[in-house]
């Protein structure tokens, strides 16, 4: 009998210890099983990665077509509707490439919603609506004026936004003073003025006594604008030699905001906004 006492005691002790710590024992079994499962998954992942051919992330599908930058341009013929009286009325009113001219009319009640006053100098102190531009154009005008100042130039903003009603008065005055035929070459009829879009600003300098005259194009400020305005998203809207396209005489003082990308392309080609948006 003595031969069986020691083994029995040992077995009993082991059973007692196991019974006292079932959670610890189960936890060890669970961790071991999880470790084995993770190892199997890791081995399988490595195996799959080794068997899958690697591709260059920068590579594109050979047949994938990249959209043309001009694909979304608001073409002239696609951005107007003809009203009952036969007038072509502009539809893309909030577009930075909106075109208003003698053949394209803005609605009488159109006024941009984001008009603000750019922080640039004016030759007058009155708080007038013509100090305003659309917000993006105003911010870019501030950058342009700052660059001009850093180059030792003195620019002043003369006339920005004009309402339809304001243009009625301006055209009527010019027609009375010069005759309607002459006025139509230098001034816009109501609804046909770019100033109503809030994207145009007439600028001047002391050298021309703050006037809006063709001689401004020969000043150091005028020459600098012709060479640099596009860097800030502006174009000289009415170019010399393009009167038959724009319908207006050369105006070196008339800046029009279109955005930097478009301005650079238009400037590089030496074309008008109408030519740029003429669908090929």
């Amino acid at each position: 009998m003595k031969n069986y006492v020691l083994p029995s005691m040992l077995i009993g002790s082991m059973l007692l210890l196991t019974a006292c710590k079932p959670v610890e024992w189960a936890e060890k079994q669970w961790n071991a099983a999880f470790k084995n499962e993770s190892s199997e998954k890791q081995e399988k992942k490595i195996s799959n990665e080794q068997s899958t051919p690697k591709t260059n992330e920068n590579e594109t599908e050979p047949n994938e077509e990249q959209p043309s930058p001009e694909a979304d341009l608001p073409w002239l013929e696609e951005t107007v509707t003809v009203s009952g009286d036969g007038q072509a009325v502009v539809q893309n009113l909030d577009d930075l490439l909106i075109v208003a001219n003698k053949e394209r009319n803005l609605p009488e009640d159109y006024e941009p919603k984001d008009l603000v006053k750019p922080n640039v100098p004016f030759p007058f102190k009155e708080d007038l609506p013509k100090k305003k531009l659309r917000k993006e154009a105003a911010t870019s005008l501030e950058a342009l004026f700052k660059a001009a100042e850093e180059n030792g130039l003195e620019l002043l903003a003369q006339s920005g936004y004009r309402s339809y009603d304001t243009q009625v008065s301006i055209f009527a005055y010019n027609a009375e003073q010069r005759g309607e035929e002459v006025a139509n070459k230098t001034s816009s009829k109501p609804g046909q003025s770019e100033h109503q879009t809030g994207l145009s600003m007439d600028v001047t300098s002391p050298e021309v006594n703050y006037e809006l005259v063709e001689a401004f194009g020969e000043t150091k400020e005028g020459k600098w604008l012709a060479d640099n305005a596009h860097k800030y998203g502006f174009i000289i809207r009415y170019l010399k030699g393009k009167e038959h396209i724009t319908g207006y005489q050369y105006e070196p003082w008339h800046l029009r905001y279109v955005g930097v990308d478009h301005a650079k392309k238009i400037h590089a080609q030496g074309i008008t906004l109408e030519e740029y948006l003429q669908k090929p």
Side-chain angles (χ1 to χ4, degrees):
M1 290 294 291
K2 293 181 179 179
N3 293 335
Y4 296 98
V5 173
L6 183 58
S8 297
M9 291 176 65
L10 291 173
I11 293 172
S13 299
M14 292 176 63
L15 290 174
L16 181 60
L17 290 172
T18 303
C20 293
K21 298 185 178 181
V23 175
E24 181 179 317
W25 178 84
E27 186 179 3
K28 290 181 179 180
Q29 297 302 315
W30 170 261
N31 290 340
F34 183 78
K35 183 176 181 180
N36 291 336
E37 183 180 355
S38 299
S39 299
E40 291 177 3
K41 288 184 177 180
Q42 185 67 19
E43 291 175 2
K44 186 177 292 185
K45 180 181 179 181
I46 294 173
S47 176
N48 289 338
E49 288 178 350
Q50 290 176 343
S51 61
T52 303
K54 294 183 178 180
T55 58
N56 189 339
E57 295 180 356
N58 295 325
E59 289 181 358
T60 57
E61 293 294 330
N63 295 327
E64 184 179 350
E65 294 184 2
Q66 299 298 325
S68 169
E70 287 76 27
D72 296 326
L73 286 179
W75 305 113
L76 293 177
E77 59 269 36
E78 296 175 356
T79 52
V80 292
T81 58
V82 180
S83 63
D85 59 1
Q87 283 192 336
V89 181
V90 178
Q91 299 300 307
N92 61 327
L93 298 176
D94 295 326
D95 200 311
L96 291 178
L97 293 179
I98 182 176
V99 176
N101 57 29
K102 296 183 185 302
E103 299 176 351
R104 299 168 59 88
N105 299 268
L106 299 171
E108 184 174 340
D109 61 351
Y110 172 64
E111 178 180 333
K113 299 177 182 178
D114 58 344
L115 292 172
V116 298
K117 297 174 186 175
N119 184 20
V120 297
F122 290 83
F124 55 89
K125 295 181 179 181
E126 295 84 357
D127 188 14
L128 301 175
K130 67 177 184 177
K131 281 187 173 182
K132 295 181 179 180
L133 282 177
R134 285 184 59 183
K135 187 174 182 179
E136 184 175 332
T139 301
S140 296
L141 188 71
E142 291 173 354
L144 183 150
F145 268 57
K146 182 179 179 181
E149 183 180 2
E150 291 172 350
N151 281 273
L153 306 174
E154 187 175 357
L155 283 174
L156 293 97
Q158 180 68 277
S159 184
Y161 168 73
R162 296 180 205 151
S163 68
Y164 182 98
D165 291 339
T166 298
Q167 197 63 36
V168 170
S169 301
I170 291 176
F171 187 82
Y173 175 81
N174 288 331
E176 182 181 351
Q177 296 295 314
R178 308 176 188 177
E180 185 168 340
E181 183 177 349
V182 175
N184 201 35
K185 295 179 181 179
T186 58
S187 180
S188 301
K189 291 182 177 180
Q192 298 179 353
S193 173
E194 273 211 335
H195 287 278
Q196 191 181 345
T197 68
L199 294 170
S200 292
M201 178 63 78
D202 293 335
V203 298
T204 185
S205 70
E207 193 171 338
V208 290
N209 197 30
Y210 309 113
E211 295 179 354
L212 302 178
V213 291
E214 192 170 316
F216 175 74
E218 298 304 316
T219 66
K220 56 184 181 297
E221 285 83 6
K223 292 177 180 179
W224 184 87
L225 282 176
D227 293 335
N228 295 278
H230 63 282
K231 300 174 184 177
Y232 305 90
F234 291 91
I235 58 172
I236 306 299
R237 180 66 174 92
Y238 304 119
L239 297 173
K240 184 178 291 187
K242 298 286 187 175
E243 293 85 354
H244 62 292
I245 296 174
T246 65
Y248 296 98
Q249 68 177 33
Y250 169 51
E251 295 187 1
W253 64 83
H254 186 110
L255 296 178
R256 162 62 195 269
Y257 185 76
V258 294
V260 174
D261 289 342
H262 297 299
K264 287 181 176 180
K265 294 175 184 177
I266 292 171
H267 174 78
Q269 298 176 64
I271 58 177
T272 65
L273 187 56
E274 283 87 356
E275 290 172 297
Y276 183 63
L277 297 175
Q278 187 66 51
K279 195 169 186 178

